[in-house]
């Protein structure tokens, strides 16, 4: 529980604008699972897992303003206003099971399911069922270990606890939405993995999924203070892409790198969302804050009793909210662009580089050298509202005893 109050010695009978906030929260959770391994037949093995979990969340609080005093025994003035009363209860329960069947240590079948109980979403949503099925095949081809894999399934995610009841969260007021539903992700992914001992590896994954009833924080009125928003089910979003990851070890050098291509576009919008004149998305738009191209890597060299490495990351072709332009409208007098959607912009490719080195001196003493943001790039990865920390250099030592 938290309280705000001025210093007691500063109070006078005229202190009628003191505020008192009370906020109490409790959360309890329990989870249990058990597993059984057995030989089902010759060359066939099985592992079976079952379990259940439960969590409970409770929040109570209130805000009172124009108090006469806010010490120990609170004395209120005739004009006291009590607002922001909260008495919310949320709980969730689920049961799950999984069967893993292996054939000759080459073919592996996985079948799993989870059933949720989500009373805070209303009876109309019933008990969401989340099935998953996967298949993998492993084979040695000379010096190579080859793995083929694929899976299909469905996942469910609840809205934030306060999405249905609304309220003041930070500096933003959220309207209640008693009709908000869970978010679902359905689809498949498959891939190929190659391993050449400890020398090299390569993994390629293709996925094709849909995000249904995607939950989004929608601006209802940007002109008020505080800004008014509401959590809504946005519609359907396509989630398609590739992921590539590899490693290489040659002598004293090693390289690890990854790359991802993601095409996240709005396929359909809900009626509730399109009826809002400040809607930020249109069908065909990319999702905000998700780069189409992203990746990174680390190159390491080992020498004597130490090592040195360079690591990097990049983002390219991504759209995000231009807070600088929006704040120019809110606080700088610039004209409004007509919609919140007009403040989304495509940001240029962004790279970050870092350097690490360390050297052991004896058995207990190590010196190290680190440079973060090697190129002194102070542009933030997204939104442009902050200046990223510039180049930082650290030289230090560690002593173990």
């Amino acid at each position: 529980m938290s309280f705000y109050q001025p210093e007691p010695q500063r109070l006078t009978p005229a202190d009628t604008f003191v505020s008192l906030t009370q906020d109490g929260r409790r959360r309890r959770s329990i989870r249990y699972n058990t597993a059984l391994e057995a030989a089902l037949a010759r060359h066939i093995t099985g592992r079976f897992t079952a379990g259940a979990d439960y969590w409970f969340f409770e929040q109570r609080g209130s805000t009172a303003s124009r108090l006469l005093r806010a010490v120990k025994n609170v004395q209120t003035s005739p004009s006291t206003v009590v607002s922001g009363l909260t008495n919310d209860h949320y709980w969730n329960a689920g049961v799950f099971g999984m069967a893993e069947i292996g054939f000759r240590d080459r073919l592996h079948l996985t079948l799993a399911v989870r059933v949720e109980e989500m009373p805070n979403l209303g009876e109309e949503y019933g008990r969401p069922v989340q099935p998953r099925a996967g298949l993998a095949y492993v084979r040695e081809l000379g010096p190579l270990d080859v793995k083929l894999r694929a899976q299909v399934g469905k996942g469910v995610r609840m809205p934030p606890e306060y999405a249905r009841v609304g309220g003041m969260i930070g500096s933003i007021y959220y309207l209640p939405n008693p009709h908000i539903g869970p978010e679902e992700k359905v689809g498949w992914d498959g891939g190929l993995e190659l391993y050449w001992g400890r020398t090299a590896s390569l993994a390629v994954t293709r996925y094709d999924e849909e995000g249904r009833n995607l939950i989004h924080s929608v601006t209802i009125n940007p002109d008020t203070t505080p800004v008014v928003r509401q959590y809504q089910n946005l519609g359907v979003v396509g989630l398609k892409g590739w992921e590539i990851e590899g490693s290489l070890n040659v002598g004293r050098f090693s390289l690890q790198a990854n790359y991802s291509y993601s095409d996240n576009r709005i396929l359909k919008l809900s009626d509730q969302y399109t009826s809002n004149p400040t809607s930020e998305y249109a069908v065909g738009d990319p999702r905000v804050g998700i780069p189409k191209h992203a990746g990174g890597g680390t190159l390491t060299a080992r020498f004597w009793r130490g090592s040195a490495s360079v690591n990097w990351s990049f983002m390219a072709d991504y759209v995000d909210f231009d807070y600088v332009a929006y704040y120019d409208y809110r606080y700088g007098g610039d004209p409004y662009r007509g919609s919140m959607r007009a403040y989304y912009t495509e940001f240029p490719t962004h790279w970050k580089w870092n350097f690490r080195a360390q050297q052991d001196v004896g058995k207990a003493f190590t010196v190290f050298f680190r440079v973060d943001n090697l190129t002194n790039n102070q542009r933030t990865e997204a939104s442009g509202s902050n200046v990223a920390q510039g180049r930082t250099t650290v030289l230090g030592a560690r002593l173990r005893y």
Side-chain angles (χ1 to χ4, degrees):
M1 185 171 294
S2 61
F3 297 90
Y4 167 76
Q5 60 187 43
E7 295 294 332
Q9 64 270 24
R10 297 179 183 175
L11 288 173
T12 69
D15 289 324
T16 58
F17 292 95
V18 175
S19 66
L20 175 65
T21 299
Q22 303 179 74
D23 185 25
R25 305 182 185 188
R26 290 192 306 165
R27 186 179 181 97
R28 301 286 187 272
S29 63
I30 185 172
R31 180 182 178 93
Y32 173 80
N33 65 80
T34 184
L36 171 67
E37 295 186 16
L40 305 180
R42 187 179 180 185
H43 304 305
I44 301 178
T45 60
R47 177 183 172 87
F48 305 91
T49 304
D53 54 51
Y54 168 86
W55 62 257
F56 166 85
F57 176 80
E58 180 182 68
Q59 178 175 336
R60 295 180 180 180
S62 65
T63 298
S65 60
R66 295 201 290 274
L67 298 173
L68 183 63
R69 294 179 63 84
V71 293
K72 294 186 177 179
N73 300 319
V74 177
Q75 303 174 16
T76 62
S77 71
S79 61
T80 296
V81 176
V82 178
S83 61
L85 291 173
T86 57
N87 187 12
D88 303 324
H89 306 267
Y90 309 97
W91 65 270
N92 184 85
V95 294
F96 56 90
M98 182 170 64
E100 301 167 277
I101 312 297
F103 304 88
R104 294 182 178 271
D105 289 331
R106 287 189 178 180
L107 186 64
H108 302 271
L109 173 66
T110 301
L111 299 172
V113 66
R114 177 180 173 85
V115 181
E116 299 272 3
E117 178 75 23
M118 300 179 176
N120 294 99
L121 290 178
E123 296 181 357
E124 65 270 24
Y125 293 104
R127 296 177 174 85
V129 179
Q130 304 167 65
R132 180 170 64 89
L135 192 64
Y137 179 73
V138 181
R139 184 70 183 269
E140 294 182 5
L141 296 177
L144 284 178
D145 290 330
V146 180
K147 180 179 180 180
L148 291 169
R149 51 179 170 75
Q151 68 172 350
V152 62
K154 173 184 174 181
V156 175
R157 184 172 72 94
M158 289 184 63
E161 287 90 349
Y162 47 83
R164 292 175 64 87
V165 297
M168 194 73 186
I169 309 297
S171 60
I172 299 172
Y173 181 75
Y174 286 90
L175 294 175
N177 185 356
H179 304 295
I180 193 168
E183 182 177 301
E184 298 180 354
K185 187 171 76 170
V186 297
W188 63 270
D189 67 76
L192 169 68
E193 299 179 17
L194 302 174
Y195 301 94
W196 187 12
R198 297 184 178 180
T199 301
S201 67
L202 176 66
V204 180
T205 301
R206 168 66 175 172
Y207 61 90
D208 190 343
E209 301 170 335
E210 278 188 357
R212 300 172 181 174
N213 294 325
L214 196 69
I215 299 168
H216 183 60
S217 175
V218 180
T219 300
I220 304 299
N221 193 336
D223 297 322
T224 60
T225 301
V227 172
V228 178
R229 294 183 181 174
Q230 184 184 49
Y231 279 97
Q232 298 180 2
N233 291 116
L234 183 67
V236 180
V237 178
L239 311 170
K240 299 180 180 181
W242 293 86
E243 296 177 349
I244 303 173
E245 184 176 6
S247 66
L248 179 65
N249 299 287
V250 179
R252 296 178 178 270
F253 296 89
S254 63
L255 172 66
Q256 294 179 323
N258 63 81
Y259 166 78
S260 66
Y261 169 83
S262 179
D263 186 7
N264 288 248
R265 294 189 176 275
I266 307 297
L267 302 180
K268 182 181 178 181
L269 292 172
S270 66
D271 293 338
Q272 181 186 27
Y273 182 78
T274 54
S275 64
N276 178 12
T278 62
S279 296
E280 304 163 23
Y281 279 122
V283 173
D285 283 352
R287 283 185 64 196
V288 171
I290 299 179
K292 181 174 288 188
H293 306 275
T298 301
L299 176 63
T300 302
R302 291 171 291 276
F303 50 87
W304 301 305
R305 300 179 63 183
S307 64
S309 64
V310 175
N311 63 72
W312 65 92
S313 62
F314 80 94
M315 298 168 56
D317 196 2
Y318 66 100
V319 173
D320 210 330
F321 195 78
D322 188 347
Y323 279 98
V324 174
Y326 177 68
Y327 289 153
D328 282 342
Y329 149 67
R330 290 283 293 178
Y331 309 111
D334 281 6
Y336 184 53
R337 292 183 177 181
S339 69
M340 295 296 289
R341 185 169 181 265
Y343 288 94
Y344 287 108
T345 185
E346 183 175 326
F347 285 79
T349 301
H350 182 84
W351 287 84
K352 280 290 182 66
W353 297 80
N354 303 299
F355 177 78
R356 302 283 189 273
Q358 69 174 32
Q359 177 68 45
D360 291 336
V361 182
K363 296 182 178 180
F365 191 69
T366 301
V367 294
F368 61 90
F369 179 64
R370 184 176 77 236
V371 182
D372 294 324
N373 195 359
L374 196 61
T375 60
N376 198 32
N377 182 354
Q378 293 187 271
R379 187 171 58 81
T380 56
E381 288 84 349
S383 77
S385 59
N386 300 308
V387 176
Q389 185 173 357
R391 184 188 299 112
T392 303
T393 304
V394 177
L395 177 63
R398 289 189 294 268
L399 178 63
R400 299 178 295 276
Y401 62 93

